[in-house]
């Protein structure tokens, strides 16, 4: 379980996130939604150690990781997929996965599992990542993160710029992985329907503060949209 308690962070002298607390349970999906500039990505960057937390505590499975560097948080069980469908463009799909899998105790098995989760990647295994579609690159980014066997997977805008068909595939994969247990997902998303359909719990972020939260599901859409117009 990932627990953020009273997190404050920002850039330079500019505070962006103010007193954020939330929990991501084992086997659960928690969504953070809000408009552009609300502080969603800043919050995730603090969670993975790319920004220091000025106040507050970050715990993973009860361990205080607040002061750990990003690579140490990965070793503890965090994986982060940032915006932008990032990959090594000159490498093939398979090589992108092998970069992460090589040297890991179960790397070969996890690589094969990643290809099973995203069959489109198996079909494009020999294709350079720069030639993949946006949806395939996003699947590749998620697959690479899963190879490290995270306890918590952090996704920043995973549906940005991809087709509805691929969005549905990514959603199905996320839900299947969390149903198996052993994985929690922290999801930042502007598309409310995707976020609520995927998550058991949501938080609305406005100007760096949580202004509303509740249980996910399609029935929560009205409340979320109302909270985002305040």
């Amino acid at each position: 379980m990932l627990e953020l308690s009273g997190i404050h962070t920002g850039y330079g002298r500019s505070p962006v996130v103010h007193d954020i607390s939330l929990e991501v349970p084992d086997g659960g999906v928690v969504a953070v939604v809000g408009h552009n500039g609300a502080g969603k990505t800043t919050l995730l960057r603090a969670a993975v150690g790319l920004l220091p937390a000025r106040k507050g505590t970050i715990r993973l499975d009860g361990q205080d990781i607040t002061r750990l560097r990003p690579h140490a948080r990965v070793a503890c069980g965090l994986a982060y997929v940032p915006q932008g469908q990032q990959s090594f463009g000159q490498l093939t799909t398979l090589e992108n996965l092998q970069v992460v899998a090589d040297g890991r105790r179960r790397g070969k098995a996890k690589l094969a599992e990643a290809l099973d989760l995203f069959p489109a990647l198996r079909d494009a295994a020999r294709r350079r990542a720069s030639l993949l579609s946006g949806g395939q690159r996003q699947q590749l980014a998620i697959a690479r993160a899963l190879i490290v066997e995270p306890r918590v997977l952090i996704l920043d805008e995973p549906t940005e710029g991809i087709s509805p068909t691929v969005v549905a595939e990514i959603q199905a994969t996320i839900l299947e992985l969390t149903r198996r247990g052993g994985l929690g997902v922290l999801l930042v998303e502007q598309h409310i329907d995707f976020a609520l359909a995927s998550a058991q719990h949501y938080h609305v972020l406005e100007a760096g503060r949580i202004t509303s939260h509740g249980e996910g599901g399609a029935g929560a859409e009205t409340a979320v949209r109302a909270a985002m117009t305040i």
Side-chain angles (χ1 to χ4, degrees):
M1 179 185 74
L2 178 66
E3 181 182 1
L4 309 182
S5 301
I7 297 299
H8 296 252
T9 192
Y11 301 92
R13 296 184 178 181
S14 301
V16 177
V17 166
H18 312 273
D19 196 25
I20 298 296
S21 297
L22 59 83
E23 295 183 3
V24 181
D26 179 22
V29 181
V30 173
V32 178
V33 299
H35 297 296
N36 283 334
K40 304 186 301 297
T41 294
T42 300
L43 176 64
L44 296 191
R45 287 174 61 83
V48 299
L50 296 174
L51 278 177
R54 297 175 178 177
K55 294 182 182 178
T57 305
I58 302 168
R59 292 186 175 88
L60 181 62
D61 288 335
Q63 178 185 355
D64 188 342
I65 63 170
T66 312
R67 304 304 171 198
L68 294 185
R69 296 176 68 84
H71 72 275
R73 299 189 196 200
V74 172
C76 290
L78 278 188
Y80 176 45
V81 180
Q83 282 180 282
Q85 304 150 11
Q86 297 183 13
S87 62
F88 299 108
Q90 297 304 310
L91 301 183
T92 67
T93 298
L94 185 58
E95 288 168 342
N96 267 271
L97 297 174
Q98 287 173 329
V99 164
V100 182
D102 286 350
R104 295 189 177 275
R105 184 173 58 86
R106 299 182 64 242
K108 186 175 181 179
K110 298 305 294 184
L111 190 157
E113 183 179 315
L115 292 174
D116 289 340
L117 286 170
F118 298 107
L121 299 183
R122 188 181 296 279
D123 295 339
R126 303 298 176 183
R127 191 178 307 160
R128 284 196 309 180
S130 60
L131 301 178
L132 299 178
S133 68
Q136 289 171 327
R137 288 196 301 272
Q138 187 62 279
Q139 290 175 319
L140 177 57
I142 296 172
R144 288 174 57 202
L146 291 172
I147 287 175
V148 305
E149 300 185 81
R151 294 282 291 115
V152 176
L153 176 64
I154 298 179
L155 301 174
D156 192 357
E157 303 283 4
T159 70
E160 183 181 39
I162 62 178
S163 71
T165 300
V166 179
V167 169
E169 292 173 0
I170 290 174
Q171 181 181 9
T173 300
I174 291 171
L175 294 177
E176 172 60 25
L177 289 169
T178 54
R179 274 195 292 265
R180 294 178 188 177
L183 177 72
V185 175
L186 177 58
L187 168 69
V188 154
E189 186 55 68
Q190 284 195 58
H191 294 113
I192 296 173
D193 52 351
F194 173 84
L196 295 180
S198 303
Q200 289 80 48
H201 202 88
Y202 72 84
H203 298 266
V204 177
L205 198 62
E206 293 290 340
R209 301 180 186 275
I210 292 176
T211 58
S212 178
H213 64 91
E215 294 184 0
E221 184 170 347
T222 299
V224 171
R225 291 192 183 279
M228 290 178 63
T229 60
I230 295 174

